Amino acid sequence: MSFQPAVLEGVLERITFANEETGYTVARVAPARRKDAGPDGDLLTVVGSLLGAQPGESLRMEGRWGSHPQYGRQFTVENYTTVLPATIQGIRRYLGSGLIKGIGPRIADRIVTHFGLRTLDVIEEDAARLVEVPGLGPKRTRKIAAAWEEQKAIKEVMIFLQSVGVSTSIAVRIYKKYGDESISVVREHPYRLAADVWGIGFLTADRIAQSVGIPHDSPERVQAGLRYALSQSADQGHCFLPEERLIADAVKLLQVDTGLVIECLDALAADEEGVVRERVPHPDEPGDTLTAVYLPPFHRAETALAAQLRRLLHTREDRLSAFADVDWERALAWLARRTGAELAPEQHDAVRLALTRKVAVLTGGPGCGKSFTVRSVVELARAKGAQVLLAAPTGRAAKRLAELTGADASTVHRLLELKPGGDAAYDRERPLQADLLVVDEASMLDLLLANKLVKAVPPGAHLLLVGDVDQLPSVGAGEVLRDLLAEGGPVPAVRLTRIFRQAQQSGVVTNAHRINAGQPPLTQGLPDFFLFPEEDTEAAGRLTVEVAARRIPAKFGLDARRDVQVLAPMHRGPAGAGALNGLLQQEITPGRPSVPEKRFGGRVFRVGDKVTQIRNNYDKGVSGVFNGTVGVVTGLNPEEQTLTVRTDEDEEVEYDFAELDELAHAYAVTIHRSQGSEYPAVVIPVTTGAWMMLQRNLLYTAVTRAKRLVVLVGSRRALAQAVRTVSAGRRHTMLDHRLRTVGGEA
């Protein structure tokens, strides 16, 4: 490719591709000079870093001309500046592009018709005059003026951050967090960004710090790196790291001396909000100990959860005291008449346990009667006039629980009324009004959420946790359900093992239990469980899309968007959730002139898209919107720069365009993200491309998400690998140990 230094001026017409992580952009530009135009006088292709540039803006780009073997003549941008447009048409296009909140094409046309070439000067110098424009009142005028000022300030931050490759959305977040102090914070305290701004991790903050001259061996850098290593381990499910491993991870990450890391760790341990070090029993070497290093929120939550569970277990008060001396034979006979079915002996044990012990766990696989057992517990408790609350970690699981029991059920977050910042309205000082609290899908409860929940259980109330311990552990840190079931622990539990006759007829249930027992699933002769063999990973990805979007809807009459869910072992790769989402969107919600859409980074959001929230945001919706919440895009307003999602909980949630990095498409999701959900049909690509991720509990979790139908697509060899590979190692958690010893205080 031949290059020559050059300057190109033109209007950015559209962005065809943008990588939010690297800033690499492919765009189409209408050149200002005729000599720069393409051979047919059409738009030019421009590639390179165009972070912050918006369609409709006039740009002055410095770079080089070249020729791409496939795409022909193109301009590679090395840096650019925004130039305000100087023609009526350019101003109209610029204002109508959605750049300024409150101005869409219709309003832009009115403003430019009224003020002509002076339009931008008026907005800049005397925005109050916008009330002269027909249809613009004082309220809209003030909003436009504020949006113009904010856009200018954000642009300044963006230009400053451009050299270190920070994405547009993150620049907006930095500005929203720090306002006019943005540039001084970035210059003087760049590591604050990793703690304060969602979407900025240590690596991005470190790149910024390097560019503003913070030394490689600065204590501030090393301490930030240690915190990052601990937060990364929490993202992988660990509540703490052994000190030796933390030091080794930090040395590798930071490329500094071990002595400096140890010094900085000592300094963090001396700071109340730094880290907590504690000697704990070694999980693999009886009689030995190790030093555990926690981030403070995880240490507080673990000690508090253990203490509160022990308090609940040992309190003398009992809100279900009527069951202490109940005639169980009569009670179960009444229950059988009411429900039309009798409990199996182990179900009877579980019902009795839940109603006579303050904390109990019910676990078991699909088809073993967990649901009917829960319904029986609720029926008996209500018959004695008890106040029963029902909850689950996800909206879908809560709906299922409500349908099962005929009573209201809510998500744990709504039940606790989490407030902005994450504090709950209900806690130890203001407990829930309940005699019995039943929580389904308890394998999803991570340490932090479980702590909030258990704190809100009033003394004497009964807590029943229901879940399948053989599924994947929670997405967040900890493995609470497994810790509560640990041998020798104080929490009583029943494990249901008998598969009921009706469930035995289901290939989905049969194969789930086969997989859990380390046996290969049966893939022939079943009406609800299929394998489409395909050894090539890329071809398996394409076949997955065809099965989910066309074959299942045609054969089973299911809706591709609502009823069919693709569950991938991993996000990356040709059969990963990322690539499959793009292909499934093309099939299910293709771009059409009549369907509004918004490009954000490398994604395009359209009305009708199936989406999922990818972070906890306590400031959205009635009680926050949480990681894993699924919904459908129902509205898109370019003028107000907002996108509306109707969630599974039937709540309308509005997102500013700058917040769209909180959303991802959900036609395909990773198996980890599917926990707590249930779908009529699931399609699971099982390929050698995901070899390192293939584990028994991963496949088991995916299969147990299906109500009616499972289709596996991919390699028999990969399937065999998944069935025989048992998950390696436990998470670093001390909850089971704390439950067996005297717990800390809440």
Side-chain angles (χ1 to χ4, degrees):
M1 196 187 277
S2 61
F3 285 113
Q4 57 190 64
V7 172
L8 171 65
E9 292 185 359
V11 175
L12 180 61
E13 290 291 330
R14 65 177 180 271
I15 293 172
T16 55
F17 171 80
N19 184 318
E20 279 289 297
E21 291 174 18
T22 64
Y24 181 78
T25 305
V26 179
R28 301 284 279 165
V29 168
R33 295 174 300 194
R34 189 171 296 170
K35 73 182 183 70
D36 291 330
D40 52 1
D42 208 347
L43 303 179
L44 288 168
T45 297
V46 170
V47 300
S49 181
L50 283 170
L51 285 169
Q54 302 284 342
E57 287 188 304
S58 296
L59 307 178
R60 185 179 189 277
M61 295 162 280
E62 295 174 6
R64 297 169 185 273
W65 287 103
S67 180
H68 189 280
Q70 187 177 348
Y71 301 111
R73 185 170 180 250
Q74 62 183 33
F75 189 82
T76 300
V77 181
E78 288 163 5
N79 56 67
Y80 79 93
T81 53
T82 304
V83 182
L84 290 177
T87 66
I88 293 280
Q89 188 181 355
I91 294 168
R92 186 180 285 115
R93 173 84 173 83
Y94 175 69
L95 279 185
S97 66
L99 180 71
I100 309 302
K101 195 167 186 175
I103 303 182
R106 194 169 45 84
I107 299 292
D109 194 49
R110 281 194 216 158
I111 295 172
V112 176
T113 299
H114 188 82
F115 292 113
L117 286 172
R118 296 200 58 247
T119 295
L120 299 181
D121 291 335
V122 168
I123 297 174
E124 173 72 37
E125 294 160 18
D126 192 6
R129 284 191 60 198
L130 288 172
V131 293
E132 298 171 18
V133 178
L136 285 192
K139 188 177 175 185
R140 175 72 69 92
T141 296
R142 285 195 296 273
K143 191 173 177 183
I144 290 170
W148 177 267
E149 287 303 316
E150 181 175 282
Q151 188 59 39
K152 272 178 23 188
I154 290 172
K155 202 64 143 184
E156 191 183 346
V157 174
M158 281 179 183
I159 290 165
F160 174 70
L161 293 173
Q162 199 171 348
S163 60
V164 289
V166 175
S167 72
T168 309
S169 60
I170 287 177
V172 171
R173 286 185 187 281
I174 290 172
Y175 179 77
K176 290 261 168 83
K177 178 71 182 173
Y178 302 117
D180 295 340
E181 294 176 18
S182 296
I183 290 174
S184 67
V185 168
V186 169
R187 276 207 177 104
E188 292 160 30
H189 306 287
Y191 292 106
R192 271 181 62 187
L193 302 176
D196 293 351
V197 182
W198 181 75
I200 296 189
F202 170 79
L203 300 179
T204 301
D206 200 35
R207 198 166 66 232
I208 294 169
Q210 198 176 351
S211 72
V212 297
I214 288 187
H216 187 71
D217 58 357
S218 146
E220 186 187 3
R221 175 176 185 264
V222 177
Q223 288 185 18
L226 282 160
R227 282 199 188 95
Y228 171 71
L230 284 172
S231 67
Q232 282 289 95
S233 74
D235 289 345
Q236 290 157 13
H238 300 299
C239 300
F240 68 85
L241 276 183
E243 185 175 48
E244 288 179 8
R245 181 174 154 191
L246 173 61
I247 291 167
D249 286 356
V251 167
K252 187 176 174 185
L253 169 74
L254 299 164
Q255 298 292 297
V256 295
D257 291 342
T258 304
L260 177 59
V261 171
I262 292 170
E263 278 176 36
C264 290
L265 182 56
D266 287 343
L268 276 177
D271 178 355
E272 207 173 276
E273 289 304 312
V275 299
V276 177
R277 284 196 293 205
E278 183 184 356
R279 293 298 292 181
V280 298
H282 199 295
D284 303 319
E285 295 170 26
D288 203 356
T289 60
L290 57 81
T291 299
V293 186
Y294 289 82
L295 288 169
F298 295 102
H299 187 265
R300 282 196 291 265
E302 198 175 82
T303 53
L305 176 57
Q308 182 66 5
L309 282 167
R310 290 170 62 84
R311 265 195 293 271
L312 291 177
L313 282 162
H314 300 306
T315 182
R316 294 184 176 214
E317 196 178 335
D318 190 352
R319 292 181 173 225
L320 293 181
S321 57
F323 288 98
D325 52 6
V326 79
D327 182 335
W328 283 102
E329 208 168 294
R330 280 185 62 198
L332 293 174
W334 173 86
L335 185 66
R337 288 195 300 274
R338 186 165 175 84
T339 60
E342 289 197 9
L343 291 169
E346 56 186 14
Q347 289 178 305
H348 170 211
D349 292 345
V351 169
R352 192 167 182 164
L353 201 67
L355 295 171
T356 59
R357 300 293 293 272
K358 310 289 174 35
V359 183
V361 173
L362 171 62
T363 189
C368 292
K370 285 198 307 295
S371 296
F372 185 66
T373 307
V374 168
R375 183 183 160 194
S376 301
V377 169
V378 172
E379 291 277 7
L380 283 170
R382 278 195 181 142
K384 292 289 187 184
Q387 188 165 356
V388 181
L389 290 180
L390 304 168
T394 67
R396 285 191 178 212
K399 270 186 181 174
R400 204 164 63 240
L401 188 57
E403 287 162 10
L404 165 74
T405 57
D408 288 341
S410 71
T411 62
V412 174
H413 304 97
R414 277 181 186 267
L415 179 74
L416 298 176
E417 292 180 16
L418 294 185
K419 298 177 288 192
D423 290 333
Y426 293 96
D427 55 21
R428 203 167 153 201
E429 279 67 49
R430 187 197 174 197
L432 294 162
Q433 290 304 305
D435 303 316
L436 169 65
L437 171 60
V438 179
V439 183
D440 201 6
E441 294 288 356
S443 62
M444 290 186 68
L445 288 177
D446 62 43
L447 175 66
L448 299 182
L449 185 58
N451 181 45
K452 286 185 171 79
L453 175 72
V454 173
K455 266 186 187 173
V457 179
H462 289 223
L463 171 64
L464 175 62
L465 298 169
V466 184
D468 185 347
V469 76
D470 294 320
Q471 287 181 27
L472 290 167
S474 56
V475 174
E479 40 189 356
V480 173
L481 190 65
R482 190 178 296 276
D483 283 341
L484 295 184
L485 289 164
E487 202 175 324
V491 179
V494 170
R495 182 170 191 137
L496 303 179
T497 55
R498 176 188 155 195
I499 306 172
F500 286 88
R501 190 180 304 151
Q502 188 181 349
Q504 287 172 1
Q505 296 164 8
S506 160
V508 175
V509 170
T510 301
N511 278 333
H513 285 278
R514 285 180 66 88
I515 290 164
N516 204 27
Q519 300 169 339
L522 305 171
T523 57
Q524 290 181 320
L526 295 170
D528 59 353
F529 202 104
F530 302 89
L531 169 66
F532 284 69
E534 177 52 71
E535 290 299 320
D536 180 72
T537 299
E538 211 161 308
R542 291 193 298 271
L543 182 55
T544 297
V545 172
E546 187 186 331
V547 167
R550 296 185 200 159
R551 295 198 195 183
I552 289 177
K555 183 174 173 63
F556 294 94
L558 296 173
D559 182 89
R561 182 188 289 106
R562 186 185 63 243
D563 301 327
V564 183
Q565 184 63 54
V566 174
L567 301 180
M570 57 196 289
H571 184 76
R572 296 177 187 276
L580 294 178
N581 263 318
L583 296 170
L584 286 161
Q585 185 192 34
Q586 287 171 28
E587 288 287 332
I588 297 169
T589 318
R592 294 194 301 272
S594 60
V595 178
E597 63 178 46
K598 166 65 182 172
R599 177 172 289 279
F600 186 90
R603 302 182 184 126
V604 177
F605 291 98
R606 299 188 181 114
V607 169
D609 267 340
K610 188 174 176 179
V611 293
T612 181
Q613 174 83 6
I614 58 173
R615 68 170 288 227
N616 288 344
N617 187 332
Y618 298 98
D619 302 326
K620 283 212 163 297
V622 176
S623 298
V625 181
F626 299 91
N627 190 353
T629 299
V630 176
V632 173
V633 177
T634 55
L636 206 155
N637 187 330
E639 198 167 289
E640 293 302 317
Q641 297 182 23
T642 57
L643 177 145
T644 306
V645 173
R646 176 169 282 279
T647 71
D648 270 353
E649 295 175 65
D650 295 325
E651 182 180 1
E652 296 274 349
V653 179
E654 202 170 82
Y655 292 79
D656 284 341
F657 283 172
E659 298 174 313
L660 292 183
D661 54 352
E662 294 189 16
L663 289 176
H665 291 104
Y667 300 100
V669 297
T670 61
I671 296 166
H672 278 88
R673 295 190 69 80
S674 73
Q675 287 171 261
S677 293
E678 197 176 62
Y679 316 94
V682 301
V683 184
I684 310 164
V686 184
T687 66
T688 52
W691 194 261
M692 297 305 290
M693 291 293 293
L694 296 175
Q695 292 176 351
R696 187 181 300 168
N697 62 350
L698 188 83
L699 182 60
Y700 173 75
T701 300
V703 168
T704 54
R705 299 308 86 213
K707 280 195 282 194
R708 288 171 50 190
L709 175 69
V710 170
V711 181
L712 304 176
V713 179
S715 154
R716 292 185 192 276
R717 194 162 68 92
L719 179 58
Q721 164 75 1
V723 171
R724 74 170 164 261
T725 306
V726 179
S727 174
R730 292 283 306 274
R731 292 178 167 188
H732 292 301
T733 155
M734 276 292 134
L735 179 61
D736 57 340
H737 164 70
R738 295 184 199 282
L739 283 168
R740 288 194 299 269
T741 57
V742 178
E745 283 304 306

